[in-house]
Amino acid sequence: MEYARPLAKLIRELEKMPGVGPKSAQRMAFHILRMPEEEARTLAEAILEVKERITTCKQCFNFTDEEVCPICRNPSRDASVLCVVADVRDLMAIERTQEYRGLYHVLQGVISPMDGVGAEQLRVRELLQRLQSGHVKEVIIAMNPTIEGDATALYLSRLIKPLGIRVTQLAHGMPVGGDLDYADQATLISALEWRREL
Amino acid sequence: MYLTHLQLKNFRNYECLHLEPDAGLNLITGENAQGKTNLLEAIYLLATGRPLRAGREEELIRWGAEDATVYAHIHRERSLEVQVQIDLSRTQPRVVRVDGQTYRAALALGQFNVVVFSAMDMEIVRGQPADRRRYLDLEISMLSPTYVRALAGYRRALEQRNRLLKSIRESGGAITPSTIELLEAWDEQLVRYGSGVMVARERFISALRPLARQAHSELSEGREELDIRYAPSIEWVSPEREQVAECFRQHIQRVREEELRRGSTLIGPQRDDLLLFVDGKEARTYASQGQQRTAMLSLKRAEFELTLQERQEPPIVLLDDVMSDLDDLRRTQLLRMTLRGAQAFITATSAETFPQEILAASRMYRVQDGQIQLVSRP
Ligand SMILES: Nc1ncnc2c1ncn2[C@@H]1O[C@H](COP(=O)(O)OP(=O)(O)OP(=O)(O)O)[C@@H](O)[C@H]1O
Ligand SMILES: [Mg+2]
Ligand SMILES: [Zn+2]
């Protein structure tokens, strides 16, 4: 026997979510079915609202429900430093540190010819336009330490350096408080490769 | 190093197997198609992460079963004992566990070393450059985890770069400065990982060379000379990482036009070869079958010695059905290697081809239809 159509439909939709397999889709659908109507409605509305209201900041391409995001609007942030990230999740990770006071630029991906992603598919042109203004003195490139991330970082640094702007990259390596014993080999190898003078 | 336990569940034609092999010689006999090679393959898989035979990973799972498990407990003299387990599934990527801790597959292997010798190994002498590169990659991976990483990085960078070159060619338009910047960003990835791969190959081959030469001289009783040489697609003066990287970078510049025209990467480790010479002539084309076999055997001996040097203990030796093809001298040489304190798994259809001293020193097993039976102990 199969599930009644509306239930089957919900399961099918949930299965499309990243990281959700048939089993968890089923569990989520059952959970929704048991929710009070009010709660289910709030969930449905939240989904629609996100689609209707959230756009990207016209300056940095962070997600926002206004034209310019709160980070870009914050006058106490240092507009001479720009941190380039691949996506908003990375921006949020850096924000959580509460250490960084500069602005961001969200590329919306990394360069990957295999996936048909080149500079035109990313916010590279917009980045260079922002840099033309002359306010920015340093660009921090914060890409994941993958081959695509490295290639993207290198490509950007080649485009930016001729503008006379300092370009830096996040260090790759050992997690702080990590134990050498327990670091996975890839991290350790990368930490060795990126070692510095004492 | 030696296996103290080997357990298989739904691996090839083994539904369930629990083996506690001898730390020395293990002789496995059985009719054709009973599971002798499959048993060696399980050990090989745990050591290298790869199946012994070409094909999809799924083919390792017993027909009709959903998943398979291969597990071994390894005793090592120079480091701690270790347990390696690989779980294979038809629906999910494999899971590798080292002492119960899950690892990303490519990096966890190299926990123990094997030297394998089977009829297929003749492809190293007779086959294509790709066969020899596969051989190099496997051997070096077992000795160096950094190599595994460099190789994986290189493959990825190469694939990305090839796609880029292809799309530039297909776009047919003028090549802008920005396209060149993009290409150079990928050049740099190729150089970074590729130079690591080439330096490791160079070092491995230089270390193997005197050992192979020595082994061949013994095997041929001084009548023949074996030489092995690395043939990379670019040249360098000294095999330092930075030097090699710089030469690679310069060479890429020189073939830029040609690569853009053809839409693919023309130089790099994917073009490497390992050349074998018997008495100064390339073994692939000029050596007789017997000479090729001796060359192969010498290479295996050299691997054994090299592992012994690097690991300070002998690797596990896997001999798949090769004894019957060898003459007495070579058979004795091969066995001498296994007798030097190494654990060995030797398969044959019958025990008749083995010298009495070997039979007396072996733990003997009989395989039939995926079931194994202990016949005798030394
Ligand atoms: N995934 C699998 N599930 C079940 N059986 C398999 C699987 N893969 C291979 N086999 C069976 O395993 C047998 C081959 O085993 P193996 O290659 O170990 O034989 P062998 O004892 O080495 O024989 P030979 O002496 O001919 O080399 C074949 O009968 C094959 O059908
Ligand atoms: Mg066989
Ligand atoms: Zn913004």
Side-chain angles (χ1 to χ4, degrees):
Chain A
M1 205 195 88
E2 290 187 11
Y3 288 120
R5 276 198 47 164
L7 184 54
K9 188 175 161 197
L10 178 61
I11 294 174
R12 185 147 32 89
E13 291 306 315
L14 288 169
E15 260 185 53
K16 293 180 188 165
M17 301 283 157
V20 178
K23 279 216 180 92
S24 18
Q26 225 174 84
R27 212 160 23 149
M28 283 156 84
F30 277 44
H31 181 76
I32 292 170
L33 205 56
R34 279 194 304 264
M35 273 181 184
E37 169 130 12
E38 191 48 35
E39 217 175 293
R41 194 171 296 282
T42 312
L43 175 64
E45 278 167 7
I47 293 174
L48 287 177
E49 196 179 332
V50 143
K51 286 312 289 177
E52 279 161 17
R53 302 268 311 272
I54 297 293
T55 55
T56 53
C57 169
K58 71 172 198 189
Q59 202 172 313
C60 75
F61 301 94
N62 184 10
F63 291 139
T64 175
D65 55 358
E66 287 165 273
E67 210 175 325
V68 177
C69 78
I71 297 175
C72 289
R73 272 184 296 147
N74 186 342
S76 71
R77 298 200 66 132
D78 181 357
S80 73
V81 188
L82 208 60
C83 179
V84 181
V85 292
D87 62 37
V88 174
R89 266 176 311 169
D90 299 339
L91 180 154
M92 291 307 290
I94 296 175
E95 273 305 282
R96 275 194 294 272
T97 67
Q98 302 193 9
E99 278 297 315
Y100 179 66
R101 300 303 302 157
L103 299 180
Y104 292 94
H105 189 87
V106 182
L107 273 187
Q108 297 184 335
V110 287
I111 290 171
S112 175
M114 276 157 69
D115 303 305
V117 181
E120 311 79 56
Q121 281 70 37
L122 303 174
R123 300 296 177 175
V124 174
R125 191 158 25 90
E126 291 84 349
L127 172 65
L128 295 176
Q129 271 162 11
R130 276 181 90 180
L131 298 179
Q132 296 294 350
S133 74
H135 298 313
V136 180
K137 301 281 176 274
E138 178 178 355
V139 173
I140 302 170
I141 302 180
M143 296 287 133
N144 282 318
T146 59
I147 293 174
E148 291 73 24
D150 285 344
T152 308
L154 197 62
Y155 174 62
L156 292 178
S157 78
R158 279 159 177 269
L159 295 182
I160 299 168
K161 273 188 189 148
L163 306 175
I165 297 170
R166 178 166 182 232
V167 185
T168 55
Q169 189 179 7
L170 286 194
H172 305 172
M174 295 295 299
V176 177
D179 199 326
L180 270 185
D181 248 11
Y182 287 100
D184 76 283
Q185 288 187 38
T187 308
L188 210 50
I189 290 164
S190 161
L192 269 174
E193 202 176 338
W194 293 84
R195 70 189 182 276
R196 60 193 161 88
E197 297 292 335
L198 277 177
Chain B
M1 54 187 81
Y2 57 88
L3 302 185
T4 59
H5 298 265
L6 177 70
Q7 284 175 33
L8 309 181
K9 204 192 93 208
N10 292 329
F11 181 84
R12 294 274 192 197
N13 68 334
Y14 291 92
E15 186 177 353
C16 184
L17 172 85
H18 188 155
L19 201 66
E20 292 181 19
D22 196 270
L25 289 177
N26 296 279
L27 201 60
I28 298 141
T29 60
E31 304 285 308
N32 295 127
Q34 301 304 310
K36 301 185 296 294
T37 302
N38 293 347
L39 188 73
L40 299 197
E41 186 170 42
I43 300 171
Y44 186 81
L45 178 72
L46 288 166
T48 64
R50 304 206 201 176
L52 197 49
R53 292 167 273 206
R56 287 175 302 121
E57 188 155 299
E58 231 190 301
E59 291 163 16
L60 299 173
I61 303 171
R62 200 169 72 97
W63 301 324
E66 274 310 302
D67 32 47
T69 299
V70 194
Y71 161 93
H73 187 124
I74 300 107
H75 176 89
R76 300 183 291 191
E77 298 292 335
R78 299 285 154 187
S79 46
L80 296 175
E81 309 227 326
V82 67
Q83 301 175 49
V84 185
Q85 179 172 330
I86 299 182
D87 296 328
L88 304 165
S89 149
R90 290 194 196 275
T91 51
Q92 255 124 56
R94 71 158 81 161
V95 177
V96 178
R97 289 197 181 87
V98 176
D99 286 338
Q101 210 184 339
T102 311
Y103 279 80
R104 263 183 294 168
L107 291 169
L109 304 159
Q111 295 296 328
F112 66 102
N113 302 70
V114 296
V115 170
V116 60
F117 192 21
S118 77
M120 278 174 299
D121 281 311
M122 288 307 290
E123 288 307 303
I124 299 168
V125 184
R126 282 201 294 249
Q128 301 304 308
D131 296 308
R132 284 181 287 278
R133 285 193 296 271
R134 199 172 313 121
Y135 163 74
L136 286 175
D137 290 344
L138 266 171
E139 294 309 321
I140 306 171
S141 301
M142 260 191 285
L143 292 171
S144 151
T146 25
Y147 185 74
V148 179
R149 193 176 118 90
L151 195 62
Y154 185 76
R155 290 201 174 122
R156 180 91 187 174
L158 180 65
E159 199 176 346
Q160 290 280 27
R161 191 171 182 274
N162 279 338
R163 287 297 279 269
L164 179 61
L165 284 165
K166 192 157 166 254
S167 74
I168 295 173
R169 191 185 62 166
E170 280 165 2
S171 74
I175 291 154
T176 65
S178 152
T179 310
I180 294 296
E181 295 287 4
L182 187 59
L183 191 52
E184 281 179 352
W186 285 106
D187 290 354
E188 213 32 59
Q189 303 306 310
L190 201 72
V191 165
R192 177 174 164 205
Y193 292 98
S195 58
V197 170
M198 290 188 286
V199 167
R201 286 180 180 174
E202 161 86 42
R203 291 205 179 128
F204 173 76
I205 294 168
S206 338
L208 203 62
R209 195 174 177 205
L211 301 171
R213 181 187 285 268
Q214 169 73 24
H216 198 87
S217 167
E218 276 174 32
L219 280 169
S220 66
E221 295 180 302
R223 282 191 302 266
E224 291 171 11
E225 210 178 75
L226 174 69
D227 194 13
I228 61 173
R229 240 178 283 157
Y230 183 32
S233 63
I234 63 171
E235 285 170 8
W236 53 76
V237 187
S238 80
E240 307 299 323
R241 178 81 185 262
E242 272 318 305
Q243 266 261 357
V244 172
E246 190 47 38
C247 294
F248 195 5
R249 213 173 273 128
Q250 284 171 12
H251 203 132
I252 287 175
Q253 289 295 332
R254 287 204 291 279
V255 294
R256 172 78 79 224
E257 298 277 302
E258 179 74 5
E259 286 193 332
L260 285 168
R261 212 156 46 72
R262 296 230 223 144
S264 85
T265 302
L266 298 176
I267 54 166
Q270 78 281 8
R271 292 290 173 97
D272 282 358
D273 201 354
L274 164 72
L275 303 178
L276 285 88
F277 299 91
V278 174
D279 289 339
K281 296 200 184 59
E282 246 208 274
R284 182 165 45 121
T285 27
Y286 297 108
S288 72
Q289 283 220 16
Q291 283 176 317
Q292 288 181 342
R293 200 172 287 135
T294 311
M296 198 53 245
L297 215 49
S298 307
L299 217 52
K300 295 293 162 181
R301 260 291 294 279
E303 272 172 44
F304 181 91
E305 300 298 336
L306 184 62
T307 311
L308 189 57
Q309 274 179 18
E310 300 253 318
R311 289 278 192 259
Q312 299 281 299
E313 54 183 319
I316 296 170
V317 177
L318 308 175
L319 301 179
D320 193 17
D321 217 0
V322 287
M323 300 305 282
S324 54
D325 288 341
L326 301 172
D327 59 28
D328 280 342
L329 170 71
R330 292 181 174 92
R331 201 179 294 158
T332 314
Q333 285 279 0
L334 194 58
L335 290 169
R336 189 175 298 161
M337 155 171 118
T338 64
L339 284 172
R340 282 180 36 208
Q343 184 179 44
F345 294 83
I346 305 172
T347 72
T349 38
S350 88
E352 278 161 25
T353 45
F354 292 88
Q356 196 52 45
E357 52 167 318
I358 297 297
L359 294 179
S362 303
R363 187 178 292 204
M364 298 223 269
Y365 293 100
R366 183 112 192 123
V367 185
Q368 198 176 0
D369 197 16
Q371 307 268 346
I372 205 157
Q373 228 186 342
L374 180 65
V375 180
S376 70
R377 288 168 190 274

